[in-house]
Amino acid sequence: MGRVLARVLGVVFVLWAVVTLTWFGAYAIPGEPAEAVLGGSGSKATAEQLAQIRAEYGFDRPLLTQYADMLGGLLHGDLGASYALKTPVTEIIGQTLAGTLVLAALSLAVAWAVAVLVALGSTRDSRLGTALGSLLEVTAVAVPHFWLGSVLILVFSVGLGWLPPISAPGAAGLVLPVLSLALPLAGFLGQVMRESFLAALDAPFTLSARARGETETRVRLVHALRHAALPAISLSGWAFGSLVSGAVVVETLFSRPGLGRTLLSGVLDGDIPVIVGVVLVIAVVYILVTFATEAADRIADPRLKAASRPSEAAAW
């Protein structure tokens, strides 16, 4: 119970810190909220109009009072309404959340598949394969999302005409955005997995498996791969968070509706409720994925499950 209570308090603190830093950071954006309500800095609002909006929305009150009201609303499940769209933030997030989660989940799956293939191919007894795999991993890690997405559009949309240059309904519209997010992450996961894979191939349990007469393919796929996947599984929570962050660029590049594009629009418009709401939802998703990653760690590595129980930990 103490461990659960500590975990709950930690989650509450993280969410409070995220909301606080985001809210005060949003207020540091040039301009003022009253201008955002009236259509932005280009609206040419008069002083009387600005004063009316400040009084109507409470922008003329002390900053700490506005902050306390915002926290009170969050505690009651109210994220407020968008200044620019005059729509509840929960409704805006509800319309865009699924698109970003699908994009991030597919990108993580593709990144894992590519990383496993590269790790398996670059750990065979071939110096050329090892060098080529290492080169591909380093190159993928160093490529920015926006550059990779632009190249993919030029090659597969403009040059070959195989895929749409912007996001479209159906699977074809997801291919280029998913690849733009997945390939850089695949390079990072592949680096981590390959080093663990090489260590696992020389570990005592793989030597024992070979001594029992198991084939090299079974040793690599059943024993070594499971061990090599452990560090990558631990990093999957961080990886999912990085994919959601990268979605800001990719969704904008491919004109794909989602949380990332909504967040960018909120920042450009100075729409503080949208900024705080989207960042809060992303933080909640990241925390849930982190918990799921920890559970996957325990399933893949029985030693972690045993360590959580004192009697079994002593046996180990």
Side-chain angles (χ1 to χ4, degrees), residues 15-204:
L15 294 179
W16 168 79
V18 166
V19 168
T20 300
L21 292 174
T22 303
W23 192 84
F24 282 102
Y27 259 93
I29 297 175
E32 63 169 306
E35 291 181 344
V37 175
L38 292 172
S41 56
S43 62
K44 299 180 180 180
T46 64
E48 291 77 11
Q49 291 174 321
L50 290 174
Q52 180 182 353
I53 293 298
R54 292 190 194 105
E56 181 180 347
Y57 282 79
F59 297 144
D60 54 354
R61 295 176 300 167
L63 195 60
L64 290 180
T65 302
Q66 298 180 50
Y67 169 70
D69 290 343
M70 182 272 299
L71 287 182
L74 291 181
L75 291 176
H76 291 86
D78 182 14
L79 298 179
S82 167
Y83 295 158
L85 301 177
K86 311 299 187 293
T87 305
V89 174
T90 52
E91 182 177 332
I92 297 173
I93 293 176
Q95 294 171 352
T96 57
L97 176 60
T100 297
L101 292 182
V102 169
L103 178 62
L106 289 176
S107 300
L108 183 60
V110 171
W112 258 92
V114 174
V116 169
L117 291 176
V118 172
L120 289 174
S122 62
T123 52
R124 297 208 174 258
D125 296 329
S126 171
R127 292 185 178 181
L128 178 61
T130 301
L132 182 60
S134 178
L135 177 62
L136 291 175
E137 291 164 355
V138 172
T139 303
V141 171
V143 171
H145 291 132
F146 69 89
W147 184 87
L148 178 59
S150 301
V151 171
L152 292 175
I153 290 175
L154 289 175
V155 174
F156 294 100
S157 298
V158 179
L160 300 175
W162 292 352
L163 297 167
I166 62 174
S167 183
L174 279 169
V175 175
L176 295 185
V178 166
L179 290 178
S180 300
L181 281 175
L183 293 181
L185 178 61
F188 182 79
L189 294 178
Q191 285 181 320
V192 174
M193 198 176 299
R194 181 162 56 85
E195 296 299 325
S196 299
F197 204 99
L198 291 172
L201 290 176
D202 294 329

Side-chain angles (χ1 to χ4, degrees), residues 163-246:
L163 297 167
I166 62 174
S167 183
L174 279 169
V175 175
L176 295 185
V178 166
L179 290 178
S180 300
L181 281 175
L183 293 181
L185 178 61
F188 182 79
L189 294 178
Q191 285 181 320
V192 174
M193 198 176 299
R194 181 162 56 85
E195 296 299 325
S196 299
F197 204 99
L198 291 172
L201 290 176
D202 294 329
F205 62 85
T206 55
L207 297 177
S208 299
R210 291 190 183 100
R212 291 195 300 269
E214 296 190 26
T215 63
E216 185 63 21
T217 300
R218 179 174 173 80
V219 169
R220 293 170 65 86
L221 295 180
V222 176
H223 300 287
L225 183 59
R226 180 179 181 180
H227 178 83
L230 293 178
I233 292 175
S234 300
L235 290 171
S236 291
W238 165 85
F240 194 87
S242 71
L243 291 173
V244 175
S245 301

Side-chain angles (χ1 to χ4, degrees), residues 246 258 285 309:
V285 170
R309 294 191 288 267

